[in-house]
Amino acid sequence: MRTELLTIGAFAKASRLSPKALRLYDELRLLRPARVDPDTGYRYYAPAQLERARLVAWLRRLGMPLAGIRTVCSLEPVEAAREIRAYWARAEAETAARRDLAAFLVDQLTTEPEREPTGMLELRYSAHSDRGHVRPANQDTVYAGRGLLAVADGCGPAGAPASRAAVAALKRLEDAGEPAAGGVLNQLEDAVRGADEAVRELAEGDAENGTTLTALLWTGSKLALVHIGDSRAYLLRDGELFRITHDHSVVQSLIDEGRLTPEEADSHPQRALLFKALGGGPDQVPDLRLHDARTGDRYLLCSDGLTGVVPDGRVRELLAAAPGPEAAVHRLIGAANAAGGPDNVSCVVADVVETSPA
């Protein structure tokens, strides 16, 4: 018995997709009609295609890009469900970053200006990078200056020049002088876009090449954070350690979805696999936000050569006990190497201190 085909109008109504969307999905080979009239070009669909069409409609409502929908539609149900969970975990992380920025903007617009402090704030800092005990070369780049703190962890054959190029793009902001707090995030976004282009040129089309980038730009009273990848930034305040970045890694997305515990992530075979890094193209959007600086704050930026082998509790102990940034940096790197030093390890530590005006 021949199945009755639905006209594009009837199919659009049943699937809650517009005829325009159905024509687009046909062109993209995402949802092909069962039959196209050779004379009129009119499209007809089989009732059995409704399930796929409704899935496409739901995924579009979720905000999933067409490339992601194509992937989901090609998978078996269980694998498709995992892909959707992973997409939504990434979406929630990105939403959280935008929420933080929105909260900052609301605060800036509604809070009465505070009186100028009697003293000025500045950073005292130290940075060091070590090859570790296993890797044949060091692909990390670190930098610490009066206006910029940065760590980049390169990967692939061009990893070392990629990490250097990423940090160099931000150093130009420091060289331009202390930025205004209001426009610093826009400046950072532009600089990171330039860094991504530089890294892609070095990569020469090789997807294995890229770099993480985690940096803080000093405005005189605030620190602007830019972050992409799995290097990290921490804040030690009043004896408590706060992680202020979120890893853009496969294992972190699995943790966010509840499919993996942090303990299981430590030994996961894909723990070094990133879904965001510089060199991946303009769709690899970094996290950007501002942090209010307080006297006594101590900031740590580090590559995963530290956090992969030294637990956060031990990191807190070493940071809190060190008398200054230089001692903290060397103690942290020493702890990573004492744990086997399986990767390059890089640390930047900076203290926020108050100095009397001249």
Side-chain angles (χ1 to χ4, degrees):
M1 182 177 177
R2 183 178 175 181
T3 302
E4 189 71 26
L5 296 181
L6 301 175
T7 65
I8 189 171
F11 191 79
K13 184 176 181 180
S15 64
R16 297 190 178 183
L17 288 168
S18 69
K20 181 179 179 181
L22 288 172
R23 286 190 287 270
L24 172 63
Y25 299 154
D26 179 14
E27 294 170 5
L28 296 174
R29 299 180 179 273
L30 184 61
L31 184 62
R32 307 304 300 273
R35 177 175 173 269
V36 178
D37 189 290
D39 297 321
T40 64
Y42 209 69
R43 295 169 172 85
Y44 295 88
Y45 294 82
Q49 292 181 279
L50 281 171
E51 185 176 352
R52 181 184 178 107
R54 287 167 180 154
L55 176 60
V56 171
W58 290 331
L59 293 174
R60 287 298 285 163
R61 197 169 300 137
L62 193 64
M64 183 176 285
L66 291 174
I69 293 174
R70 185 181 292 108
T71 299
V72 168
C73 289
S74 69
L75 299 172
E76 294 297 320
V78 173
E79 291 299 320
R82 288 175 181 166
E83 187 69 23
I84 293 168
R85 280 196 295 267
Y87 164 76
W88 189 243
R90 295 193 295 269
E92 285 186 319
E94 291 166 359
T95 299
R98 292 196 297 271
R99 182 188 62 227
D100 291 347
L101 177 57
F104 162 74
L105 293 173
V106 170
D107 183 66
Q108 289 289 102
L109 293 168
T110 58
T111 302
E112 290 292 327
E114 296 182 357
R115 292 186 305 163
E116 289 294 320
T118 55
M120 296 167 51
L121 298 179
E122 67 176 17
L123 298 178
R124 292 182 181 166
Y125 46 81
S126 181
H128 188 64
S129 183
D130 190 272
R131 181 173 61 85
H133 295 328
V134 176
R135 295 293 176 89
N138 192 348
Q139 294 188 309
D140 288 0
T141 298
V142 295
Y143 177 79
R146 63 181 302 274
L148 176 68
L149 314 170
V151 170
D153 180 358
C155 58
S163 67
R164 288 195 296 268
V167 173
L170 294 193
K171 284 179 66 177
R172 286 192 282 273
L173 290 180
E174 183 188 44
D175 295 340
E178 193 171 283
V184 67
L185 293 182
N186 290 335
Q187 294 178 48
L188 267 177
E189 188 173 23
D190 291 342
V192 172
R193 191 177 295 115
D196 183 69
E197 292 172 357
V199 171
R200 278 187 284 152
E201 287 180 9
L202 288 165
E204 297 181 342
D206 187 344
E208 291 186 6
N209 292 307
T211 185
T212 70
L213 178 64
T214 301
L216 290 166
L217 188 66
W218 178 244
T219 71
S221 60
K222 298 178 184 293
L223 284 160
L225 170 73
V226 59
H227 167 70
I228 186 167
D230 65 350
S231 295
R232 292 181 182 177
Y234 291 86
L235 166 63
L236 183 71
R237 175 176 286 175
D238 299 328
E240 295 295 323
L241 186 69
F242 304 93
R243 184 170 140 196
I244 58 175
T245 53
H246 194 77
D247 291 350
H248 300 141
S249 65
V250 170
V251 294
Q252 183 62 58
S253 69
L254 294 174
I255 293 170
D256 295 340
E257 296 165 31
R259 294 165 55 191
L260 204 65
T261 66
E263 293 73 23
E264 291 169 335
D266 290 340
S267 58
H268 195 278
Q270 292 183 314
R271 62 186 178 277
L273 187 60
L274 304 178
F275 65 80
K276 273 190 184 183
L278 288 184
D283 60 326
Q284 303 282 285
V285 181
D287 297 339
L288 294 163
R289 62 177 66 94
L290 277 170
H291 286 267
D292 288 313
R294 297 183 189 174
T295 304
D297 284 350
R298 173 167 285 180
Y299 285 88
L300 164 67
L301 276 61
C302 60
S303 64
D304 66 339
L306 174 69
T307 55
V309 293
V310 182
D312 281 4
R314 181 58 176 157
V315 169
R316 188 200 69 78
E317 292 173 2
L318 293 169
L319 274 178
E326 184 174 4
V329 163
H330 288 288
R331 290 178 186 182
L332 289 166
I333 291 176
N337 283 331
D343 198 357
N344 306 149
V345 56
S346 300
C347 296
V348 177
V349 174
D351 290 345
V352 179
V353 299
E354 186 173 330
T355 58
S356 300

